[in-house]
């Protein structure tokens, strides 16, 4: 090997800072403007916001709660139904264990 | 413009403040990013990403550290994210043609020559940069910030949110590992 490991490690001593190509600010500005003009980035920004996901979660819980409340309110009155069936088939009772007269 | 004025200006979304930030910190961002990526074209793109990230997330800057320290942190994380993304892409490269994604040519890049290295040391530094890539992430960060950016151990500790002794130990281990890697230099 031409160089020792120590020499190689020291090769960065006194290194000058590298600079980007000129007009970096202009290029960054152009990129920001381009990104802002696309509606997709705006949608992504909205979707990725924590407030959005929290809002969606609350909405799901509320919808779930609404349907649960609705289902308990509208329990079918089975007595009316059984009487209707009994009348239709000339039965006085729908009890399967009742001995027919 | 003082640092405080700059921070207030940035938080208010003032264009002048952002311009001042880019103009005063472009060198440190580009040089740091270049140290990790070792590719001037990628470094240019990632430098832009860093400033866009800063522009979008300046509200998160609480002023617990100096603005420059925070800029360094964003630069390091963005550069490492870029490397990870590139590695992932490489690993799953065989899948992308199935989904009709663009075929990126995987060209083996030539040795990286940092533009700030003295001419007579360029060959050695190219070998060093190859070896740096083989270091664990934390050692890479500490070594690049200290050697390439010329930051003190204390400054590196602030950027990495570590104790001074932890940074000393990281750089010591980085040098030991580099020596070991460089012994097998022919295999690099």
């Amino acid at each position: 090997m031409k160089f020792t490991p120590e020499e190689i490690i020291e090769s960065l001593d006194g290194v000058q800072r590298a600079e980007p190509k000129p007009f970096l600010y202009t290029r960054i500005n152009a990129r920001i403007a381009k990104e802002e003009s696309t509606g997709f980035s705006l949608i992504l920004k909205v979707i990725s916001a924590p407030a959005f996901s929290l809002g969606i979660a609350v909405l799901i819980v509320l919808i779930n709660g609404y349907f649960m409340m609705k289902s308990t309110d509208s329990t079918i009155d089975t007595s009316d139904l059984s009487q209707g069936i009994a009348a239709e088939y000339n039965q006085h009772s729908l009890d399967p264990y009742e001995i027919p007269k | 413009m003082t640092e405080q004025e700059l921070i207030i200006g940035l938080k208010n979304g003032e264009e002048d403040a952002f311009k001042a930030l880019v103009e005063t910190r472009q060198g440190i961002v580009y040089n740091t990013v270049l140290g990790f990526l070792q590719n001037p074209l990628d470094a240019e793109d990632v430098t832009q990403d860093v400033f866009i990230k800063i522009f979008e997330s300046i509200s998160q800057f609480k002023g617990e550290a100096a603005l420059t320290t925070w800029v360094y942190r964003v630069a390091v994380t963005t550069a490492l994210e870029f490397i990870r993304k590139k590695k992932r892409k490489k690993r799953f490269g065989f899948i992308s043609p199935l989904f009709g994604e663009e075929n990126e040519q995987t060209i083996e890049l030539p040795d990286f020559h940092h533009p700030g290295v003295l001419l007579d040391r360029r060959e050695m530094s190219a070998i060093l940069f190859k070896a740096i890539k083989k270091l664990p992430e934390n050692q890479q960060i500490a070594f690049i910030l200290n050697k390439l950016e010329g930051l003190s151990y204390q400054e590196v500790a602030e950027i990495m949110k570590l104790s001074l002794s932890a940074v000393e130990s990281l750089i010591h281990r980085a040098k030991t590992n580099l020596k070991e890697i460089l012994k097998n230099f022919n295999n690099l």
Side-chain angles (χ1 to χ4, degrees):
Chain A
M1 182 162 40
K2 268 157 71 178
F3 315 108
T4 65
E6 287 76 14
E7 278 177 324
I8 295 171
I9 291 170
E10 282 162 16
S11 66
L12 283 184
D13 290 354
V15 63
Q16 297 285 307
R17 184 175 279 154
E19 290 288 334
K21 283 183 197 156
F23 311 112
L24 178 70
Y25 176 72
T26 315
R27 278 179 282 136
I28 292 170
N29 248 352
R31 216 170 113 178
I32 291 173
K34 196 180 163 192
E35 280 177 14
E36 278 176 352
S37 68
T38 56
F40 184 65
S41 67
L42 189 74
I43 293 166
L44 269 181
K45 213 174 178 181
V46 171
I47 291 173
S48 61
F52 183 83
S53 35
L54 197 71
I56 290 289
V58 169
L59 195 69
I60 290 169
V61 169
L62 284 175
I63 291 171
N64 202 22
Y66 171 75
F67 281 111
M68 277 178 73
M69 295 278 281
K70 209 180 165 192
S71 68
T72 50
D73 283 351
S74 60
T75 47
I76 302 162
D77 191 356
T78 49
S79 61
D80 279 359
L81 188 70
S82 57
Q83 278 169 11
I85 294 169
E88 201 177 330
Y89 291 95
N90 270 335
Q91 296 275 326
H92 298 290
S93 170
L94 280 180
D95 188 353
Y97 301 108
E98 194 183 357
I99 301 163
K101 289 171 188 171
Chain B
M1 198 181 278
T2 65
E3 184 157 309
Q4 204 52 39
E5 285 169 344
L6 186 63
I7 294 164
I8 293 166
L10 286 169
K11 288 197 173 182
N12 291 335
E14 288 169 20
E15 213 180 309
D16 285 350
F18 186 56
K19 191 177 183 182
L21 177 87
V22 173
E23 280 171 359
T24 52
R25 269 79 171 182
Q26 60 180 11
I28 61 168
V29 171
Y30 179 73
N31 195 45
T32 306
V33 167
L34 185 64
F36 287 100
L37 306 185
Q38 301 180 18
N39 177 328
L41 286 175
D42 287 345
E44 283 274 347
D45 282 345
V46 175
T47 301
Q48 289 183 26
D49 291 343
V50 171
F51 283 110
I52 292 170
K53 261 190 189 176
I54 292 170
F55 175 76
E56 286 172 347
S57 59
I58 189 70
S59 57
Q60 290 168 24
F61 176 67
K62 305 277 179 248
E64 288 153 359
L67 183 64
T68 307
T69 307
W70 189 64
V71 170
Y72 269 119
R73 276 183 206 152
V74 180
V76 171
T77 12
T78 315
L80 293 174
E81 271 169 19
F82 182 88
I83 293 169
R84 283 187 212 123
K85 210 170 152 187
K86 215 171 177 182
K87 274 184 188 167
R88 264 203 308 272
K89 234 178 175 178
K90 224 174 179 178
R91 211 173 293 147
F92 297 105
F94 66 95
I95 295 173
S96 50
L98 300 174
F99 295 95
E101 282 179 27
E102 277 176 47
N103 261 337
E104 262 183 53
Q105 284 180 315
T106 47
I107 303 162
E108 198 58 43
L109 288 168
D111 289 348
F112 169 62
H113 294 287
H114 189 282
V117 174
L118 297 170
L119 213 62
D120 58 331
R121 291 182 180 181
R122 286 219 165 155
E123 200 182 336
M124 284 194 283
S125 74
I127 299 166
L128 180 61
F129 274 110
K130 270 189 180 179
I132 290 172
K133 275 187 178 176
K134 294 185 182 284
L135 289 176
E137 223 167 60
N138 259 6
Q139 292 176 25
Q140 268 191 51
I141 302 169
F143 190 82
I144 288 172
L145 290 175
N146 173 247
K147 281 279 180 183
L148 192 64
E149 262 301 290
L151 300 180
S152 66
Y153 286 7
Q154 183 58 49
E155 287 168 318
V156 176
E158 279 163 23
I159 293 164
M160 295 182 78
K161 292 183 181 172
L162 292 173
S163 66
L164 188 62
S165 56
V167 170
E168 281 171 355
S169 156
L170 269 179
I171 292 174
H172 176 75
R173 273 185 282 148
K175 284 180 181 171
T176 312
N177 284 339
L178 281 173
K179 278 179 196 166
E180 211 46 52
I181 296 164
L182 291 166
K183 272 185 202 165
N184 307 314
F185 154 70
N186 289 326
N187 299 328
L188 281 174

